[in-house]
Amino acid sequence: MQRAPRWWQTGVIYEIYPRSFSDANGDGVGDLAGIDGRLDYLAWLGVDAIWIAPFYPSPMADFGYDVADYTGVDSLFGTLDDFDTLLAAAHERGLRVIVDYVPNHTSDRHPWFIESRTSRDNEKRDWYVWRDAGPNGELPNNWISMFAGPSWEWDETRQQFYLHTFLKEQPDLNWRNPATRAAMFDVARWWLDRGVDGFRIDVAQMVMKDPELRDNPINPKPDQAHRLGSWDTQIHLNDLSHPDMHELYRSFRSVLESYPGDRVSIGELHHPDFDTWAAFYGERQDEIHVPFNFHLTYSAWTADAVRAAVEGVQSALPPGAWASWVLGNHDQPRFASPHRAGPDQAKVGMLLLLTLRGTPTIYYGEEIGMVDVPVATEDSRDPVERREPGRGRDPERSPMQWDASPNAGFAASDATLWLPIAADASSVNVASQSEDPASILTLTRRLIRLRREHPALHTGDFERFGPTPDGTFAFRRVSDEGRVTIVLNLTGEPRSVPGAGPGRTLIGTHGDRDGEPVEAAVELRPNEAVIVEHAVAT
Ligand code: NOJ
């Protein structure tokens, strides 16, 4: 007998970057009380869970991904009481709460690192990855930081290098040390005891490296499409995804499953090849519950590339496994930006995201079609922009656009914001779109509801469809109780897709085709996508 689907399979997740979502105290930076004040909106939208990016005490060298205390709240975001209040308020509304778990590195101000760097014989000496210099002062190996430059920093006191896959203010933890691992598992238990519904695991594939720290091979064909700059000059054979990861995530999952209530692990996994990514489900699907899949964020927004991404993921899934999908996040240019899919395709993307088989995660603001807000290198907040201009992530982190007031309802009108608001915020915002039947917000809300109510979209299988005409992509979702075909036009010209009918349209991106009969072909206007429902044989 098939097991009933878990909430994290059928549910929709919503990512909140806390600095940018809602500012309750007027300091120009979002906070936990701000999120609390927006829970009714999220419940209205219909999402099932929120994932909140780090809000822990941090010097903010990487805006919270440099954690100085895993079991607290930075005063910028509020207090632990604010977190408990938010958690209870979310649960009251049926919303689950997922917090970020940052296992690869701490801040250099974390007490563990402060102790570790005091000497070569202190109790925490092996909690981080320390190595001697070569005979002529050489670095331990050729590894490079994801944020540019070597990933080794010299420490005067220990007269050794320490490893940092990101900034030098983010030293890598040594997960091969049982004491480190036990402490980090305790961190997870601490939040689970508080009642969180799961974790998004930061750079999940990086935690275990080659124990011999061998050099990486040089990449003969760097692929700048992923915006990784100098990181792409190597093949990351030895500094991530060591096979020992799998045992680690099996153990981590057993921690989660020792708690009641379907707690979930969501892994941030950047693997352009389908099989390495799919391996994180585990041979018995006992590792990461939801390995994030970034194939739609890597692919060009063309019908061929999207088809290859969707069908590639579906084929790579281990039998019975459940996919996941995202269009963007706080590290990727926003989907609706002209340099990604463009504003005309925003609704097409949303319709795809919410009809695919697999857990969708919406990045805050995608539901109103927010686009990147340019920030000049000299004004940038993200350290990555200053290290490698063009790679900065400020543009996708601009404040949420709630209404047409001066600070877009994100913060008090007289607050000085940590990043600028989009120039179009007075027209592109939640307030204006919530009453507009043709808005992307209305579409998103309707799609979330339809996904929950329609058996084929809720749990149905994925079936390939086609070939379809140039610039279009279609697929089917099929269950015993329902059959639908999703037909997408990724071009700015009309397209006719033969064989997608007969049936009737359920929802279309333009908001004006509900219940329309469809003959054999589906006629699509420019930048249009529709869901066609077929009669089920009785
Ligand atoms: C991935 C996070 O999403 C990103 O924002 C952060 O800079 C790195 N991991 C380092 O923690």
Side-chain angles (χ1 to χ4, degrees):
M1 202 183 80
Q2 232 177 351
R3 175 183 227 177
R6 308 297 186 92
W7 72 265
W8 45 264
Q9 296 179 303
T10 54
V12 175
I13 300 172
Y14 186 96
E15 179 193 351
I16 293 176
Y17 193 67
R19 296 182 75 88
S20 304
F21 193 60
S22 194
D23 170 23
N25 68 359
D27 65 358
V29 178
D31 44 43
L32 296 180
I35 299 173
D36 198 347
R38 302 294 182 179
L39 291 178
D40 285 337
Y41 164 73
L42 295 165
W44 171 86
L45 185 60
V47 298
D48 298 81
I50 52 174
W51 147 37
I52 313 173
F55 48 80
Y56 316 116
S58 165
M60 303 287 165
D62 188 17
F63 293 116
Y65 281 101
D66 47 323
V67 181
D69 171 5
Y70 285 109
T71 54
V73 170
D74 196 286
S75 56
L76 190 63
F77 297 118
T79 63
L80 207 44
D81 278 349
D82 291 336
F83 179 79
D84 290 338
T85 305
L86 169 62
L87 185 64
H91 284 167
E92 265 167 37
R93 290 164 177 79
L95 287 166
R96 317 248 181 176
V97 177
I98 294 162
V99 298
D100 230 291
Y101 183 71
V102 188
N104 183 66
H105 43 269
T106 66
S107 160
D108 61 347
R109 314 273 177 85
H110 194 293
W112 297 343
F113 188 70
I114 292 174
E115 184 176 344
S116 189
R117 77 190 311 180
T118 53
S119 67
R120 291 190 188 204
D121 54 11
N122 70 78
E123 207 190 304
K124 297 208 167 40
R125 61 188 175 277
D126 288 331
W127 281 47
Y128 293 81
V129 184
W130 292 98
R131 284 294 180 280
D132 290 336
N136 301 309
E138 299 94 337
L139 300 173
N141 64 20
N142 74 346
W143 295 357
I144 47 179
S145 155
M146 195 155 199
F147 291 164
S151 56
W152 295 99
E153 180 71 11
W154 181 250
D155 183 81
E156 281 301 330
T157 310
R158 278 187 64 147
Q159 292 287 300
Q160 279 184 314
F161 286 103
Y162 66 84
L163 181 68
H164 58 92
T165 303
F166 294 90
L167 300 172
K168 67 177 170 35
E169 294 83 3
Q170 294 168 291
D172 282 27
L173 282 163
N174 174 17
W175 274 78
R176 294 187 181 278
N177 179 344
T180 313
R181 175 171 159 145
M184 284 303 290
F185 276 28
D186 281 348
V187 167
R189 290 191 190 93
W190 192 89
W191 286 103
L192 292 166
D193 287 340
R194 259 199 138 68
V196 304
D197 298 286
F199 302 104
R200 174 267 191 186
I201 308 170
D202 188 58
V203 288
Q205 80 274 26
M206 287 190 163
V207 175
M208 285 294 204
K209 290 111 178 152
D210 175 31
E212 294 172 39
L213 305 185
R214 281 171 287 200
D215 278 356
N216 280 326
I218 300 306
N219 184 0
K221 277 200 276 176
D223 169 11
Q224 293 309 326
H226 299 161
R227 238 181 35 142
L228 292 174
S230 52
W231 172 257
D232 244 2
T233 59
Q234 295 187 352
I235 295 172
H236 294 278
L237 185 66
N238 292 320
D239 56 351
L240 50 83
S241 288
H242 188 273
D244 291 347
M245 310 271 344
H246 297 290
E247 182 278 324
L248 170 63
Y249 286 124
R250 279 196 292 278
S251 303
F252 189 72
R253 181 161 172 153
S254 64
V255 171
L256 288 165
E257 294 188 341
S258 68
Y259 284 78
D262 259 350
R263 317 288 175 109
V264 67
S265 54
I266 302 174
E268 187 202 11
L269 291 160
H270 290 278
H271 273 296
D273 75 287
F274 295 119
D275 292 338
T276 320
W277 159 75
F280 282 87
Y281 283 93
E283 276 173 19
R284 291 180 202 81
Q285 284 175 57
D286 53 358
E287 295 180 22
I288 293 179
H289 295 94
V290 183
F292 259 147
N293 142 40
F294 292 99
H295 287 93
L296 286 178
T297 65
Y298 300 146
S299 66
W301 193 251
T302 64
D304 287 346
V306 170
R307 182 182 307 106
V310 170
E311 295 183 356
V313 165
Q314 289 299 146
S315 315
L317 282 177
W322 189 260
S324 74
W325 300 98
V326 295
L327 297 174
N329 67 11
H330 62 278
D331 298 323
Q332 313 286 339
R334 281 189 176 272
F335 178 77
S337 303
H339 41 287
R340 289 272 318 272
D344 294 344
Q345 283 285 314
K347 291 182 191 168
V348 176
M350 187 57 83
L351 192 138
L352 175 67
L353 178 70
L354 293 173
T355 53
L356 282 167
R357 183 177 196 268
T359 310
T361 300
I362 297 173
Y363 180 46
Y364 84 91
E366 271 171 4
E367 76 275 27
I368 53 170
M370 276 173 64
V371 295
D372 285 357
V373 177
V375 178
T377 305
E378 58 274 22
D379 299 329
S380 67
R381 304 295 308 267
D382 183 7
V384 177
E385 177 65 22
R386 288 166 192 268
R387 294 166 69 91
E388 280 197 338
R391 281 186 65 200
R393 300 160 297 174
D394 293 336
E396 56 261 30
R397 298 173 177 178
S398 68
M400 178 68 177
Q401 297 158 210
W402 294 101
D403 59 38
S405 65
N407 275 335
F410 163 73
S413 300
D414 58 353
T416 305
L417 308 191
W418 85 284
L419 278 178
I421 294 267
D424 64 3
S426 58
S427 55
V428 178
N429 60 60
V430 170
S432 68
Q433 292 194 12
S434 55
E435 300 301 325
D436 175 0
S439 70
I440 182 169
L441 180 59
T442 302
L443 175 73
T444 305
R445 185 166 178 247
R446 293 188 65 211
L447 284 168
I448 292 174
R449 193 177 316 149
L450 183 67
R451 184 184 171 88
R452 180 167 298 128
E453 289 167 0
H454 199 288
L457 290 170
H458 194 58
T459 50
D461 289 339
F462 171 87
E463 266 183 16
R464 291 176 188 225
F465 181 89
T468 60
D470 204 30
T472 65
F473 169 50
F475 61 94
R476 288 209 154 121
R477 298 288 310 277
V478 178
S479 77
D480 289 346
E481 301 130 280
R483 280 176 74 223
V484 293
T485 305
I486 292 91
V487 196
L488 308 121
N489 180 0
L490 282 83
T491 76
E493 293 151 17
R495 288 284 189 270
S496 176
V497 181
R504 63 173 190 115
T505 53
L506 285 175
I507 289 186
T509 44
H510 293 29
D512 56 359
R513 290 183 74 160
D514 295 6
E516 201 178 90
V518 173
E519 300 300 330
V522 173
E523 306 301 331
L524 294 173
R525 289 169 285 179
N527 304 303
E528 185 173 34
V530 297
I531 306 173
V532 180
E533 181 180 47
H534 309 287
V536 180
T538 45

